[in-house]
Amino acid sequence: MHTSAKIRDRQAWMGVLARADRATLEQALEALDPAPTWTRLRAPETGMVMVRGRAGGDGAQFNLGEMTVTRCAVRLACGAIGHAYVAGRDQRKAELVAVLDALLQAGPHAASLRAGLIAAEAARQQARREDALRRAAATRVDFFSMVRMG
Amino acid sequence: MYVAVKGGERAIAASHAVLAEIRRGDPAVPVLAVEQIEQQLGHAVDRVMAEGALYDRTLAALAIKQAQGDLQEAAFLLRAYRTTLPRFCASLPIDTARMTIARRISATYKDLPGGQILGPTYDYTHRLLDAALLEDTPVPPAPRADEPADPAMPRVTALLDQEGLIRRESGDGDADPPDLTRDPIAFPAARPLRLQNLARGDEGFVLALGYSTQRGYGGTHPFVGEIRFGTVAVEITPEELGFAIEIGDIAVTECQTVNQFGGSRTEKPQFTRGYGLAFGHNERKAMGMALVDRALMSRELGEDVTAPAQDEEFVLSHSDNVEASGFVQHLKLPHYVDFQSELELIRRLRAEAEERAAGPTREAAE
Amino acid sequence: MTTLAPGFVDPPRGAQAAFRRLLEAMARPGTVTVLDAPPAPLPLAPAAGAIALTLCDADTPVWLDAALGAPEVTGWLRFHTGCRIVAAPEHAAFAFAADPAALPLDRLPAGSDEFPDRSATAVLQVAGLDEGVSLRLAGPGIDTEATLRARGLPPGFVAWRAANHARYPRGVDVILVAGVSLAALPRSTSVAEG
């Protein structure tokens, strides 16, 4: 199924927001002027997602086990609707993610949030991933390293 | 039959207080913080999440603190907590091929694409108790390579598949799997149910059964094709959005075993597979699970079912330690009336037996 | 999506309170109970909506009659409960009807002898409770006899109830709804006219 560029963008920022620290999201929201206002379409709610795996890694699906997740849906004063599904039980974080999702879709703050919060967080998350992969790479066995004798 | 125990309320309250006092231990010793457990007892957290069947590191750490380190009790706490949460949906199946690798090894191919990445493991430690850990010895940062590990690491099973020598995964890749937390398991059980059961099963039980297959109780000669440990993204497709989003990452351990199979009446000679997948970092569990997974395929492969690990009903009915613990420990509940009846019966049978024994001599005396 | 109405203000507490009331209504068949129900998208009655919010989720297939098939209703139900909406009453765990005559009660699952609980609950929206046809109720939870009045029951309801009752422990449970009020008729209750 072909997803549009707009949807891919939104998928990307929702993933970045879900992985960000709550404090970072609070700061980003506080920095906005005028401050956004919103109503809750669905109050933050903690529940579970059943994580699925595949037999053999690529075969039939099976239910591995559940994980906690918190969701929220908000409507901004301008009418834009934002959604959040965030791993864990942080209800405030889920609400912040939903608000930011709405702000990022359209409106006066969309561009600045994208260039600011999202770009910075995406880079930070990528750097953390790379550091983990660098740490792992240091433990790779080099079977053919030569040791100088004599 | 159970007898209502009255008058125990005060005793129970006192019991809770004793528990809390013992749990706290010596007040002069700093109290254990849940985040210390989460950070520094990661394997305990992993096991509790796996057997509690709920991935939430902080909750698992809290359960461990509350249970004073009794990991099965902690898993029970997580299971109970789980019943209070609604399930929103199921995730898309995690893609372990796109794992952010922390550790990846193979015992079948020495020089495989991506390499052998040892990662954090006790495998090469000498198992000598480390007195340095009695103090708060500073830990220097681990070295980083110049280049990150290659994120694209093909599966070992794919390498074997290129020669057509390994049994392909069968079954409908898209079908919604059954869920034993919703419908009780019935036998014969489909593979997705067996895997779900084993994934949340007791590590010791699964390990022992896996071990038994290596000692001749059924089983074939297994090789570890690959073990991977790292984090994978979890994706869901909320209906109100209509597209997939990532909600975060979880750590999982995956084990693929490759087993010799000489063929049967119905199948040609090929390598067969076993699969283990566990929350967190737990190779012992994932490996045991893969061995038992393979053993439970006997029926489908046309092999003779001779060993406990191949006995589906035996394995799957006894793997859940919350269930097992519940039923074993329920024996502590009052069985007073039951026992009284037993006592009466034994006394009566004894009396009758003694009377029968005395009978012939009495007659002779008369 | 722009016209999506909210559900319970406080979902866990709202659902708990509604569940408690529903439990009481089932335990004392025929008593009319009022639910603290949020507004529901028409023509779904608020009490029916509250029942859905409380009892329906991803594991309970829901059947809706034509009137309730409106996008505002199905969208609201799916958003707040995640329920699957089925076309065939045979697959339903819950069946909602704004027009009780439109619900083929005979086609709802009645459970099996081994699992009588694997049956459907029918939620029928009637024109009014405490008015209309008078029903005599007897059975568990009722001290000798009770009376329930309902206006707008489907034709043949009492005859269907008699056949349903005869299948006990199998059978379908019924909840009658009007506005924010409801009365429950579990399968164990015998229903006669008068």
Side-chain angles (χ1 to χ4, degrees), chain C residues 5-194:
Chain C
F8 284 123
V9 165
D10 182 347
R13 285 193 174 77
Q16 255 196 347
F19 186 86
R20 187 75 218 179
R21 295 264 173 94
L22 191 52
L23 191 66
E24 291 288 337
M26 282 276 180
R28 293 171 223 290
T31 44
V32 178
T33 305
V34 170
L35 289 188
D36 193 1
L42 291 171
L44 189 63
I51 290 168
L53 291 175
T54 303
L55 299 180
C56 299
D57 63 15
D59 295 320
T60 58
V62 168
W63 183 91
L64 302 168
D65 71 0
L68 294 174
E72 294 80 46
V73 177
T74 55
W76 186 84
L77 283 173
R78 296 213 48 132
F79 182 72
H80 291 292
T81 72
C83 67
R84 195 161 53 94
I85 295 175
V86 293
E90 288 82 358
H91 300 149
F94 289 90
F96 292 84
D99 173 17
L103 169 49
L105 289 163
D106 284 333
R107 291 174 58 190
L108 291 174
S112 65
D113 288 322
E114 206 187 342
F115 299 107
D117 56 301
R118 294 186 184 170
S119 54
T121 302
V123 180
L124 307 177
Q125 291 180 196
V126 293
L129 294 166
D130 281 339
E131 50 173 297
V133 168
S134 191
L135 302 171
R136 268 183 305 123
L137 312 177
I142 297 168
D143 194 358
T144 61
E145 207 175 76
T147 308
L148 173 68
R149 303 184 67 191
R151 187 161 61 85
L153 288 170
F157 181 72
V158 174
W160 172 79
R161 275 300 297 202
N164 190 55
H165 188 62
R167 302 194 275 188
Y168 190 87
R170 300 171 62 217
V172 170
D173 307 302
V174 172
I175 305 174
L176 300 176
V177 160
V180 294
S181 303
L182 66 89
L185 297 174
R187 70 191 72 180
S188 49
T189 302
S190 71
V191 176
E193 257 168 56

Side-chain angles (χ1 to χ4, degrees), chain B residues 24-220:
Chain B
R24 179 61 184 85
D26 182 353
V29 173
V31 72
L32 197 55
V34 168
E35 64 197 0
Q36 286 178 307
I37 296 174
E38 196 179 330
Q39 287 294 315
Q40 298 167 43
L41 296 181
H43 286 292
V45 168
D46 291 343
R47 181 173 177 178
V48 168
M49 293 193 303
E51 292 171 11
L54 182 64
Y55 196 103
D56 186 309
R57 307 197 75 86
T58 307
L59 285 181
L62 170 61
I64 291 166
K65 176 175 176 177
Q66 184 172 332
Q68 297 168 261
D70 181 338
L71 299 187
Q72 287 189 6
E73 177 68 26
F76 190 170
L77 287 170
L78 270 197
R79 292 268 187 101
Y81 184 80
R82 180 198 158 267
T83 66
T84 68
L85 296 175
R87 185 190 297 176
F88 296 146
C89 59
S91 76
L92 272 56
I94 56 173
D95 188 358
T96 52
R98 286 170 45 220
M99 181 187 280
T100 300
I101 296 278
R103 173 163 157 77
R104 187 269 205 138
I105 55 162
S106 169
T108 50
Y109 288 100
K110 178 172 163 184
D111 219 351
L112 71 168
Q116 307 271 4
I117 300 196
L118 303 184
T121 176
Y122 290 98
D123 287 355
Y124 311 98
T125 64
H126 298 131
R127 268 64 186 221
L128 299 173
L129 282 177
D130 185 355
L133 290 171
L134 289 168
E135 313 296 326
D136 186 5
T137 314
V139 175
R144 265 71 173 159
D146 291 333
E147 290 300 316
D150 191 347
M153 289 196 197
R155 291 203 173 89
V156 167
T157 45
L159 298 174
L160 280 167
D161 194 37
Q162 279 164 15
E163 283 186 76
L165 290 175
I166 194 164
R167 193 158 182 271
R168 280 259 174 89
E169 282 296 336
S170 59
D172 181 0
D174 286 332
D176 248 359
D179 184 349
L180 61 81
T181 66
R182 286 289 188 266
D183 298 304
I185 204 166
F187 302 103
R191 182 136 178 256
L193 278 178
R194 304 198 303 248
L195 290 173
Q196 181 184 15
N197 179 297
L198 293 174
R200 58 199 267 134
D202 182 74
E203 181 183 317
F205 183 71
V206 171
L207 175 68
L209 286 172
Y211 179 39
S212 75
T213 69
Q214 294 179 277
R215 294 195 66 255
Y217 289 88
T220 57

Side-chain angles (χ1 to χ4, degrees), chain A residues 12-32 35-36 38 70 72 83-87 90-104 109 113-114 116-122 124-125, chain B residues 247:
Chain A
W13 82 58
M14 287 183 92
V16 169
L17 290 172
R19 293 176 171 95
D21 282 337
R22 190 208 317 168
T24 306
L25 303 175
E26 292 275 19
Q27 274 171 18
L29 205 60
E30 257 165 62
L32 295 179
W38 66 89
T70 304
C72 183
H83 289 278
Y85 279 83
V86 178
D90 192 333
Q91 302 205 333
R92 174 66 180 166
K93 176 176 167 179
E95 189 159 12
L96 293 172
V97 169
V99 172
L100 288 163
D101 175 54
L103 291 168
L104 279 157
H109 302 297
L113 280 172
R114 217 182 285 212
L117 169 68
I118 298 299
E121 254 309 295
R124 199 190 62 80
Q125 290 171 14
Chain B
I247 62 174

